[in-house]
Each structure stands twice: as C-alpha cells, then as structure tokens.
Amino acid sequence: MKKFTVLLMIITFLLCSCQANEKVNTNSKENTSSQKKTQTEDLSSSKENETELIIPKTPLSNELNQLFEQGLEVYRWFNISIMGDGQGKPVIKGELTYYPVNNERFPTYESWYQYINSVFSKEMIDHYLSKNYYINIKGQLYGVMADRGGNIFYKSHKYELVSQTENKVELKIIGIYNEGTGEEDYYKEYTTIFEKQNGKWIITQFEFWL
C-alpha cells in the first residue's frame, strides 16, 4: 500500500511538472510573437515616416513662408491628389464622376474658393478650375477621384532667394535628383513668385519640384 501511495505521488509530481513546462513554453511563444508584432509595427511606422515629404523652411519671412506652404497645399489639390475621396453619393457630369469633399475646413464650395483665392492669383485659380476637377453642386464642394505619383528620382531640394523688393519676391527652388545605378545627382530649377496686390501678398507663379 505504501509503495502504491509513493508511486501515485511520483506520477502526480511528473504530471504537474509537464503542465508547468507547457505553460512556460506557451508564454514564451506568446512573448516572442508579441515582440515580433511590435517590431513589425515599428518597422511599418518607420517606413511610413520615410515616405513623408519633408519641406525645409524657406529663407522668407514668416508671412511668406506660411503662404508658400499654403501654395504647396493648393497646388497638390489640383495637380497631385484631388480632394474627392470616393465617399458619399457620386454625381456624374459629362465624362467625370464627382464625389462630395468631406473636409471640415470647407463646409461649402464658397469657403474653399475664398481660401484658394487668398493663396494664388485669380489668373492661376481660373487656370486650375478650367481643368474641371472641382465643381459646385448646391453650394457643396465636389471633386473627382484622381492622383498622380511623384518623381521617383527626387532626393531633396534647396532654396535660393533671387530677388526681394517691397512688393515682389522671387524664390528659386533647386530640386536634386538621382536615377540610381551609380549615376551622379542632377539639378532642376523652379520658380515661385510672390506679389503684393491691394496690400496683400499672393502667389502669382508656382512651380513644383516633384
């Protein structure tokens, strides 16, 4: 009887040890999986940050630097990524399909129109609007869904203040590009012009480097 009791105790001890080892192994696998997941998320976040376009500050005054950033924003709306996001009920006009622009900054077409006119000259705005990427439907801003890629050879850019007077400033943007495969960098020049009209600065020429 004593031998049976001792044998039973040994078997119980061995079973408990196996269960403990399995639990430790399971926790170890879960921790490893969690670490891998965190590393993957960090890598993904890092890659997203790498693709962000970093815009260095221009050698302009704070007022003109802010206007330059607004000009970049508006230029993108017409030439890089149209504001229509495909949400909401579409409206077909001719060969184009428009979607409502869901942007809290511009609850109406007029609010958007006033903003872009505070950045670019009327001649520039008329030219951009002639592309028919945006329309006014019952007072609301609608846009098509369209995007284009940037210059894949772009590396960076720098600025040069060409001229500055009381009513006009010319800024040169020097784009730096490289096609890889051991090639040397090459450069392209672009011009942005600011003019003061009726006591207010606006952009009358804007060339983009991407």
Side-chain angles (χ1 to χ4, degrees), residues 5-202:
T5 302
V6 171
L7 180 61
L8 182 60
M9 291 174 64
I10 293 173
I11 293 173
T12 302
F13 175 78
L14 291 174
L15 287 173
C16 290
S17 298
C18 290
Q19 290 176 351
N21 287 335
E22 290 177 357
K23 186 174 182 180
V24 170
N25 290 336
T26 300
N27 289 338
S28 177
K29 289 179 180 179
E30 289 176 353
N31 290 336
T32 301
S33 175
S34 176
Q35 290 173 356
K36 288 182 177 179
K37 182 178 180 182
T38 301
Q39 291 172 354
T40 301
E41 290 174 348
D42 290 343
L43 180 60
S44 174
S45 175
S46 175
K47 287 182 177 179
E48 289 177 0
N49 290 335
E50 287 176 0
T51 58
E52 261 185 41
L53 176 62
I54 299 175
I55 306 298
K57 189 173 181 179
T58 70
L60 303 170
S61 66
N62 290 335
E63 179 184 7
L64 290 185
N65 188 69
Q66 181 180 359
L67 181 60
F68 180 74
E69 292 177 352
Q70 292 174 317
L72 179 59
E73 177 184 44
V74 175
Y75 181 91
R76 283 178 165 178
W77 290 342
F78 284 98
N79 299 279
I80 307 295
S81 183
I82 312 304
M83 296 174 73
D85 57 9
Q87 303 297 317
K89 186 177 179 180
V91 174
I92 299 175
K93 295 283 187 180
E95 297 181 352
L96 297 176
T97 300
Y98 296 87
Y99 293 87
V101 173
N102 301 304
N103 189 313
E104 294 181 354
R105 293 170 60 193
F106 309 113
T108 64
Y109 179 92
E110 183 63 23
S111 61
W112 173 77
Y113 183 78
Q114 291 298 327
Y115 175 74
I116 63 177
N117 269 278
S118 70
V119 178
F120 285 157
S121 66
K122 185 178 185 306
E123 291 76 15
M124 293 179 68
I125 294 301
D126 289 344
H127 168 69
Y128 286 141
L129 290 178
S130 69
K131 298 181 178 182
N132 295 320
Y133 292 153
Y134 299 96
I135 58 174
N136 182 348
I137 299 181
K138 296 181 179 179
Q140 186 174 0
L141 175 63
Y142 276 67
V144 300
M145 287 183 62
D147 294 281
R148 77 160 177 86
N151 188 331
I152 62 173
F153 302 127
Y154 166 81
K155 285 182 60 180
S156 62
H157 65 277
K158 56 186 179 180
Y159 304 111
E160 179 181 320
L161 189 58
V162 178
S163 63
Q164 183 173 9
T165 67
E166 185 178 351
N167 295 310
K168 185 175 182 179
V169 174
E170 182 175 339
L171 179 70
K172 180 190 295 183
I173 301 95
I174 304 170
I176 305 170
Y177 308 87
N178 191 297
E179 298 184 7
T181 64
E183 298 291 333
E184 293 185 358
D185 292 348
Y186 61 94
Y187 304 83
K188 291 185 178 180
E189 296 183 355
Y190 306 86
T191 300
T192 292
I193 295 177
F194 306 84
E195 293 187 49
K196 183 175 283 189
Q197 298 181 358
N198 300 320
K200 185 179 180 302
W201 286 102
I202 60 169

